[in-house]
Amino acid sequence: RKEVEQDPGPFNVPEGATVAFNCTYSNSASQSFFWYRQDCRKEPKLLMSVYSSGNEDGRFTAQLNRASQYISLLIRDSKLSDSATYLCVVKGGPGTSYGKLTFGQGTILTVHP
Amino acid sequence: EPEVTQTPSHQVTQMGQEVILRCVPISNHLYFYWYRQILGQKVEFLVSFYNNEISEKSEIFDDQFSVERPDGSNFTLKIRSTKLEDSAMYFCASSLLAGGYNEQFFGPGTRLTVL
């Protein structure tokens, strides 16, 4: 089983649509969870951290279910500028106490006019 | 805003040659990392570095790889004898602290092409 698994997509949605991405992780001892965004041939950039209580940042809502080892990202009112690859990222767990990030394959989103 | 910088942006080398990829982390950060991303694949952890020594390394980080912080600002990744499969984007990252929700900031990457 992959350490962090995502639906690779691609997701093609019109502007204004709501889109949801899902992610599962295999290490139940993982401690911290993130969504990063990666534009084509660029570095990953932190979009938002994901907390157990769920959290929202503008049009973006992230949820974490530790029991199911499941993370989600919801984007409302999609903009053209949201087109990117969204990376589910997990940190921590046994033997990884020094900040190692484990990345999923990424989900490609294209928002069209 | 402070940022991580990397040089060169693109490095082309012949198989078997040594390469050194350079990074300048954010100045007050204490933890430093290298990741790589082969074209079309996921970002993979290579190594973390703290207090002038390796904290953790992945299976990818074999004897061909080494890291160094030669002065107070630079953080380097050396590949001693490059292979074709080393062709990838190499990202340096840094963070103030390692655990919890401390953010890792990534540099723009060095694209390594091994011919």
Side-chain angles (χ1 to χ4, degrees):
Chain A
R1 183 180 171 185
K2 291 180 184 175
E3 290 183 273
V4 180
E5 196 151 4
Q6 298 179 245
D7 179 350
F11 285 64
N12 288 292
V13 302
E15 275 186 290
T18 295
V19 61
F21 303 139
N22 303 316
C23 168
T24 56
Y25 60 95
S26 61
N27 188 345
S28 59
S30 297
Q31 297 170 356
S32 315
F33 310 90
F34 310 88
W35 285 100
Y36 274 73
R37 170 193 167 126
Q38 187 174 31
D39 293 298
C40 189
R41 295 179 179 265
K42 301 284 189 181
E43 73 273 24
K45 290 186 177 176
L46 179 65
L47 178 65
M48 60 195 300
S49 302
V50 188
Y51 304 112
S52 297
S53 53
N55 47 297
E56 187 174 307
D57 183 2
R59 297 181 293 110
F60 300 85
T61 301
Q63 298 279 349
L64 168 65
N65 184 323
R66 285 185 182 266
S68 304
Q69 295 175 212
Y70 170 88
I71 307 163
S72 67
L73 177 68
L74 184 78
I75 306 176
R76 291 182 300 278
D77 188 23
S78 301
K79 311 290 184 194
L80 295 177
S81 57
D82 292 335
S83 297
T85 298
Y86 290 83
L87 308 175
C88 179
V89 182
V90 171
K91 186 202 287 187
T96 60
S97 57
Y98 292 99
K100 171 189 171 183
L101 298 180
T102 302
F103 287 77
Q105 181 79 12
T107 299
I108 299 170
L109 171 67
T110 302
V111 181
H112 58 81
Chain B
E1 184 177 315
E3 59 182 16
V4 177
T5 59
Q6 291 186 242
T7 54
S9 57
H10 191 187
Q11 174 90 48
V12 181
T13 190
Q14 296 290 327
M15 193 169 54
Q17 295 297 303
E18 175 184 286
V19 294
I20 297 176
L21 309 183
R22 302 181 192 280
C23 168
V24 179
I26 293 173
S27 61
N28 65 330
H29 283 185
L30 303 176
Y31 291 82
F32 315 112
Y33 313 87
W34 284 102
Y35 293 85
R36 80 170 186 191
Q37 186 174 30
I38 295 170
L39 187 63
Q41 298 188 23
K42 66 179 182 178
V43 177
E44 300 174 289
F45 169 81
L46 292 178
V47 66
S48 59
F49 191 86
Y50 168 72
N51 199 25
N52 278 318
E53 59 183 33
I54 290 174
S55 309
E56 185 176 359
K57 59 183 181 179
S58 71
E59 292 175 355
I60 303 167
F61 195 89
D62 61 21
D63 292 343
Q64 293 298 313
F65 291 88
S66 62
V67 288
E68 193 178 33
R69 188 155 162 84
D71 52 43
S73 59
N74 290 283
F75 179 50
T76 61
L77 174 69
K78 182 192 290 186
I79 309 176
R80 264 180 271 281
S81 177
T82 50
K83 308 183 190 69
L84 294 176
E85 55 265 36
D86 293 328
S87 294
M89 186 75 112
Y90 288 80
F91 294 109
C92 174
S94 70
S95 63
L96 180 59
L97 299 172
Y101 283 94
N102 286 279
E103 183 178 352
Q104 287 185 24
F105 294 81
F106 284 75
T110 292
R111 181 179 309 283
L112 176 65
T113 302
V114 182
L115 303 175

Coordinates of all heavy atoms in Angstrom, one line a residue, chain A residues 1 3 13 18-20 23-24 29 32 34-36 38 43 48 51 53 65 74 85 95-96 105 109 111 113:
Chain A
R1 N 0.9 -1.2 0.0 CA 0.0 0.0 0.0 C 0.9 1.3 0.0 O 1.9 1.3 0.7 CB -0.9 0.0 1.2 CG -1.8 1.2 1.3 CD -2.7 1.1 2.6 NE -3.5 2.3 2.8 CZ -4.2 2.6 3.8 NH1 -4.3 1.8 4.8 NH2 -4.9 3.7 3.9
E3 N 2.3 4.9 0.8 CA 2.2 5.7 2.1 C 1.2 6.8 2.0 O 0.5 7.0 3.0 CB 3.6 6.3 2.3 CG 4.7 5.2 2.7 CD 6.0 5.9 3.0 OE1 6.8 6.1 2.0 OE2 6.2 6.2 4.2
V13 N -12.7 21.3 -14.4 CA -13.9 21.9 -13.9 C -14.1 23.3 -14.5 O -13.1 24.0 -14.8 CB -14.0 22.0 -12.4 CG1 -13.8 20.5 -11.8 CG2 -12.9 22.9 -11.8
T18 N -17.4 23.7 -7.5 CA -16.8 23.2 -6.3 C -16.1 21.8 -6.6 O -16.7 21.0 -7.3 CB -17.9 23.0 -5.2 OG1 -18.4 24.3 -4.9 CG2 -17.3 22.3 -4.0
V19 N -14.9 21.6 -6.1 CA -14.2 20.4 -6.4 C -13.6 19.9 -5.1 O -13.2 20.6 -4.2 CB -13.1 20.6 -7.5 CG1 -12.1 21.6 -7.0 CG2 -12.5 19.3 -7.9
A20 N -13.6 18.5 -5.0 CA -13.1 17.9 -3.7 C -12.0 16.9 -4.1 O -12.2 16.1 -5.0 CB -14.3 17.2 -3.0
C23 N -7.6 11.9 0.0 CA -6.3 11.4 0.2 C -6.3 10.4 1.3 O -7.1 10.6 2.3 CB -5.3 12.5 0.5 SG -3.7 12.1 1.2
T24 N -5.6 9.3 1.2 CA -5.5 8.3 2.4 C -4.0 8.1 2.7 O -3.2 8.3 1.8 CB -6.1 7.0 2.1 OG1 -5.6 6.4 0.9 CG2 -7.6 7.1 1.9
A29 N 0.5 6.4 12.8 CA 1.2 7.2 13.7 C 1.6 8.6 13.2 O 2.3 9.3 13.9 CB 2.4 6.4 14.2
S32 N 1.2 15.0 11.5 CA 0.9 16.3 10.9 C 0.5 16.2 9.4 O 1.1 15.3 8.7 CB 2.0 17.4 11.0 OG 2.6 17.3 12.3
F34 N -0.9 18.1 5.6 CA -0.9 19.3 4.9 C -1.4 19.1 3.5 O -1.4 18.0 2.9 CB 0.6 19.8 4.7 CG 1.4 19.9 6.0 CD1 2.1 18.8 6.5 CD2 1.4 21.0 6.7 CE1 2.8 18.8 7.7 CE2 2.2 21.1 7.9 CZ 2.8 20.0 8.4
W35 N -1.8 20.2 2.9 CA -2.0 20.3 1.4 C -1.0 21.3 0.9 O -1.0 22.4 1.4 CB -3.5 20.7 1.1 CG -4.5 19.6 1.2 CD1 -5.3 19.4 2.3 CD2 -4.7 18.5 0.3 NE1 -6.1 18.3 2.1 CE2 -5.7 17.7 0.9 CE3 -4.2 18.1 -0.9 CZ2 -6.2 16.5 0.3 CZ3 -4.7 17.0 -1.5 CH2 -5.7 16.2 -0.9
Y36 N -0.3 20.8 -0.1 CA 0.6 21.7 -0.8 C 0.1 21.9 -2.2 O -0.6 21.0 -2.7 CB 2.0 21.1 -0.9 CG 2.9 21.4 0.3 CD1 2.7 20.8 1.5 CD2 4.0 22.3 0.2 CE1 3.6 21.1 2.6 CE2 4.9 22.6 1.2 CZ 4.6 22.0 2.4 OH 5.4 22.2 3.5
Q38 N 1.4 22.7 -6.2 CA 2.6 22.7 -7.1 C 2.2 23.1 -8.5 O 1.4 22.4 -9.1 CB 3.3 21.4 -7.1 CG 4.6 21.4 -7.9 CD 5.4 20.1 -7.8 OE1 4.9 19.0 -7.7 NE2 6.8 20.2 -7.9
E43 N 8.3 24.7 -7.4 CA 8.4 24.0 -6.1 C 7.1 23.9 -5.5 O 6.2 24.7 -5.7 CB 9.4 24.8 -5.2 CG 8.9 26.1 -4.6 CD 9.1 27.3 -5.6 OE1 9.2 27.1 -6.8 OE2 9.1 28.4 -5.0
M48 N -2.3 24.8 2.9 CA -2.9 24.8 4.2 C -2.5 23.6 5.0 O -2.3 22.5 4.5 CB -4.4 25.1 4.2 CG -5.2 24.0 3.5 SD -6.9 24.5 3.2 CE -7.5 24.9 4.8
Y51 N -6.0 20.2 10.3 CA -6.1 19.9 11.7 C -7.2 19.0 12.0 O -8.2 18.9 11.2 CB -6.2 21.2 12.5 CG -5.1 22.2 12.3 CD1 -5.4 23.4 11.6 CD2 -3.8 22.0 12.7 CE1 -4.4 24.3 11.4 CE2 -2.8 22.9 12.5 CZ -3.1 24.1 11.8 OH -2.1 25.0 11.6
S53 N -9.7 19.1 13.9 CA -11.0 19.7 14.0 C -11.5 20.2 12.6 O -12.6 20.7 12.5 CB -11.0 20.9 14.9 OG -10.0 21.8 14.6
N65 N -9.7 12.9 9.1 CA -10.3 11.8 9.8 C -9.2 10.8 10.2 O -8.8 10.0 9.4 CB -11.4 11.1 9.0 CG -12.2 10.1 9.8 OD1 -11.6 9.3 10.6 ND2 -13.5 10.0 9.5
L74 N -11.5 20.7 0.0 CA -12.6 21.2 -0.8 C -12.3 22.6 -1.3 O -11.9 23.4 -0.5 CB -13.9 21.2 0.0 CG -15.2 21.6 -0.7 CD1 -15.7 20.4 -1.5 CD2 -16.3 22.0 0.4
T85 N -1.3 21.3 -9.5 CA -1.3 20.0 -8.9 C -1.4 20.1 -7.4 O -0.6 20.9 -6.8 CB -0.1 19.2 -9.3 OG1 -0.1 19.0 -10.7 CG2 -0.1 17.8 -8.6
G95 N 10.1 6.6 13.7 CA 11.3 6.7 13.0 C 11.4 7.9 12.1 O 12.4 8.0 11.3
T96 N 10.5 8.8 12.1 CA 10.5 10.0 11.3 C 10.2 11.2 12.1 O 9.3 11.9 11.9 CB 9.6 9.9 10.1 OG1 8.2 9.8 10.6 CG2 9.8 8.7 9.2
Q105 N 1.1 11.4 -4.8 CA 1.4 11.6 -6.2 C 0.9 12.9 -6.8 O 1.4 13.4 -7.7 CB 0.7 10.4 -7.0 CG 1.0 10.5 -8.5 CD 2.4 9.9 -8.9 OE1 3.0 9.3 -8.1 NE2 2.8 10.2 -10.1
L109 N -5.5 19.6 -11.2 CA -6.8 20.3 -11.4 C -6.6 21.4 -12.5 O -5.6 22.1 -12.5 CB -7.2 21.1 -10.1 CG -8.3 22.1 -10.2 CD1 -9.6 21.3 -10.5 CD2 -8.5 22.9 -8.9
V111 N -8.9 24.4 -14.2 CA -10.2 25.2 -14.2 C -10.2 25.9 -15.5 O -9.3 26.6 -15.9 CB -10.2 26.1 -13.0 CG1 -11.5 26.9 -12.9 CG2 -9.9 25.4 -11.7
P113 N -12.5 28.4 -18.4 CA -13.5 29.5 -18.4 C -14.9 29.0 -18.7 O -15.0 28.0 -19.4 CB -13.0 30.4 -19.5 CG -11.6 30.0 -19.7 CD -11.4 28.6 -19.4

